[in-house]
Every structure is written in structure tokens, then in C-alpha cells.
């Protein structure tokens, strides 16, 4: 463990993401977070219910609206900041995590959120996303995944399934899509979760945990695009959805189905689906979202497939690690404490300018 990490353990690792953010003096309601802007998404878009859920959830935090910052990139989801009565930036395509990193490092009094889409975050913004995750910057990233480019009118995206016919793949996509949770966990995300747009209860629970987590919280939200990928997640909303949806609850055995007739068991170095009646109770995996074992969360992410035969929702992983912004501020404090003052400062500057890292070029 480094000197910086030693200084931070027991401080930042026990705090919520918004420990330094000023709280409101009065109770808040969803309408307090509703801006005067007309919401402009296509009728039936999943963004509407996500917006309503976020507006209803934010009062729980009790934070001053002036200290909430929502940063978005480019895409349908990126209109989100306009519709919240809080501060926001409609930024550059794929660069929202980079801008949010600057805010989180320089302004610990802000609760920083990133709103992005599968195209914005995983294509042009893929590099920025993975580095925000590995650095563990204190922010919450909401990735709206409709498996299509909506704003630019229906091209396939990095999460579109193989064979999908779009304007840019008239014969069907030949690209293998990202498994978003596997990607996040592979980038060392300390918090990774998934929710379905229409599952308001489940989405709220995930948002609550993500907001509490100090570090980068990554939340994938599966949502419908009624124009260019209509009904893409309908199988997760139908009567037999219980045969497909696997809801993760920390400390509970992972069972699913209308009567819990299916379960998750260990198989070799990974996990698999089994019939509950055919395995011993002790063989059923009990979900542990807080384990330090990254392989377990990754194995969970691999159970979800692009054909939606099985889709896991809930919190895959939530662990503590020093945040990039806390470490950066600790370094600045250390540098300031060691900075010479008075006559010594001038001598220190000359020593720096004439130090061993200078050369004479003849």
C-alpha cells in the first residue's frame, strides 16, 4: 500500500460519495428537480421513465441542487441535464467521463453524475470510460443501453446483437457486441450494476447504492428505443420474464423463475444455470456483492447473453478502494505542506531550474 493510500484508509474508504456535499435545509420533492424545459424524446422512449425515477430518487439524497452536477456527452440520453433543475453540462461526444473527472478532483463539494449512451460511452468514448473506471473517480455513471444509435438515426452500436439489420448494417451486423458489465469489471470498476428502465423499484435500489458508493459507480440501464430498436427488451417485461430475469440480492441464494425453479451454481472456474430440483441447496450460489474476488463478479456478468435468454440485474460488485480524486487532493496537501516559503522559496526555484534535469545544448 502506498503512502497516499495509507493516509486515506479509514477516511475516504468509510465515506459516502457525497460526504463533502452540502445538504439542503428543507425537504425536497421530485418537482424540485424538474426544470422548465420541455422534455423532447420520442413517445415511448425509455428515457422518460428513467428521468422520472431519477427525479423521484434525488430528494432522498437531501443535497443542495446547486451542488449536483450532471455531465452528458452526445446522444438521446445526453439531453438529460436539460430536464433536471440542477447544474449540468451537455459536453463532447464520448468525453463526459473526462470532464466529470476534472470536476470531481477540483470540487469535492459536488455530487458528480455522468449520463451517457451505449454509442457515446462504448465507441468514441470507450477510452475515457475505462480509465475513469480504473482510476475510481468519485462519480456515478449511468449508461443508457438501447443497443442502437438513436440520435443519429439508427446505426448499429457497440452493443447491437449479431445479425441486427440497421441502416449501417443492411445485411446484418457481423460485430460481436460488448458485454457492458464484463467490460466495466475488466476495467476494475469498484461498483457495477444493471437495471431495467421499467423496473422502477429495482432501478431506484441500484441508484441508491450507486450514489452511496465512494468511487466510480457504473450503472447500465436497459431501455427501449421505440423508433429504431422497438421492443428490444420486451421479453424481459412479458409474463414469462421470470424465466429470464435473474435478480441479484446480496446475501440471498441466486434463484429465479416463477417458483424459483432455476438457480445459479458453480461450474469449474465459472458459474452456470441449473434446475433447482436437481442440485443440493448447498450448491446454490449465495450472492456476495461485497467480495474482493473480482472473478466472481465477472463470472456473474458472463451469465447474461445477447439473446436475452438470461439477464442479471442488481448490484454485481461493490468494493472499497482509494479514489483518484481523494488521492490527488492528498498529494496536493502534501506538496503544499512541503513547499518552501520566504527566501527559501527563491532558492528552491533556482535549484529546480538548474537541477539535474537540465542540459546545455551546444
Amino acid at each position: 500500500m502506498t503512502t497516499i493510500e495509507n493516509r486515506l484508509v479509514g477516511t475516504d474508504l468509510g465515506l459516502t460519495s457525497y460526504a463533502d456535499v452540502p445538504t439542503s435545509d428543507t425537504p425536497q420533492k421530485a418537482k424540485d428537480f424538474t426544470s422548465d424545459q420541455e422534455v423532447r424524446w420520442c413517445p415511448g422512449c425509455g428515457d422518460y421513465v428513467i428521468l422520472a425515477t431519477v427525479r423521484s430518487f434525488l430528494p432522498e439524497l437531501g443535497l443542495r441542487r446547486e451542488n449536483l452536477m450532471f455531465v452528458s456527452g452526445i446522444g438521446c440520453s445526453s439531453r438529460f441535464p436539460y430536464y433536471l433543475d440542477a447544474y449540468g453540462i451537455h459536453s463532447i461526444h464520448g468525453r463526459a467521463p473526462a470532464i466529470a473527472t476534472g470536476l470531481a478532483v477540483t470540487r469535492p463539494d459536488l455530487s458528480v453524475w455522468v449520463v451517457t449512451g451505449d454509442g457515446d460511452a462504448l465507441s468514441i468514448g470507450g477510452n475515457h470510460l475505462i480509465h475513469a473506471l480504473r482510476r475510481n473517480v468519485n462519480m456515478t455513471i449511468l449508461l443508457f443501453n438501447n443497443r442502437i444509435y438513436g440520435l443519429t438515426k439508427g446505426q448499429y452500436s457497440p452493443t447491437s446483437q449479431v445479425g441486427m439489420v440497421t441502416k449501417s448494417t443492411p445485411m446484418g451486423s457481423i460485430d460481436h457486441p460488448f458485454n457492458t458489465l464484463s467490460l466495466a469489471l475488466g476495467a476494475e470498476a469498484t461498483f457495477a450494476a444493471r437495471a431495467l428502465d421499467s423496473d422502477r423499484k429495482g432501478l431506484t435500489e441500484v441508484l441508491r447504492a450507486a450514489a452511496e458508493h465512494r468511487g466510480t459507480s457504473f450503472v447500465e440501464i436497459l431501455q427501449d428505443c421505440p423508433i429504431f430498436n422497438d421492443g428490444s427488451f420486451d421479453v424481459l417485461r412479458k409474463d414469462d420474464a421470470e424465466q429470464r430475469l435473474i435478480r441479484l440480492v446480496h446475501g440471498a441464494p441466486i434463484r429465479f423463475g416463477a417458483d424459483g425453479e432455476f438457480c445459479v451454481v458453480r461450474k469449474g472456474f465459472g458459474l452456470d444455470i441449473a434446475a433447482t430440483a436437481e442440485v443440493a441447496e448447498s450448491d446454490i450460489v449465495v450472492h456476495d456483492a461485497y467480495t474482493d474476488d473480482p472473478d466472481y463478479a465477472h463470472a456473474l456478468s458472463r451469465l447474461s447473453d445477447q439473446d436475452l435468454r438470461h439477464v442479471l440485474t442488481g448490484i454485481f460488485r461493490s468494493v472499497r478502494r482509494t479514489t483518484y480524486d481523494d488521492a490527488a487532493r492528498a498529494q496536493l496537501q502534501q506538496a503544499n505542506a512541503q513547499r518552501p516559503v520566504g527566501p527559501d522559496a527563491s532558492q528552491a526555484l533556482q535549484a529546480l531550474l538548474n537541477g539535474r534535469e537540465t542540459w546545455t545544448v551546444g
Side-chain angles (χ1 to χ4, degrees), residues 14-33:
L15 299 176
T16 64
S17 67
Y18 50 88
D20 301 317
V21 183
T23 55
S24 174
D25 296 328
T26 58
Q28 298 168 325
K29 297 181 180 179
K31 66 179 182 180
D32 295 323
F33 294 92

Side-chain angles (χ1 to χ4, degrees), residues 7 23 36 43 56 66 79 142 199 238 251-252 262 281 303 316 357 361:
R7 293 181 62 193
T23 55
D36 60 358
S56 298
E66 299 92 325
R79 302 179 65 86
L142 306 181
D199 180 11
K238 294 181 178 179
F262 302 104
E281 180 70 21
L303 288 176
F316 287 64
E357 297 299 332
V361 179

Side-chain angles (χ1 to χ4, degrees), residues 124-162:
I124 191 171
N127 186 56
H128 298 280
L129 175 69
I130 61 173
H131 291 298
L133 292 169
R134 76 171 176 85
R135 287 173 176 148
N136 199 34
V137 183
N138 193 29
M139 67 172 79
T140 300
I141 300 175
L142 306 181
L143 189 152
F144 297 11
N145 183 8
N146 55 19
R147 305 203 291 186
I148 196 76
Y149 276 96
L151 187 67
T152 48
K153 306 299 184 282
Q155 300 92 336
Y156 81 113
S157 85
T159 57
S160 296
Q161 61 268 47
V162 174

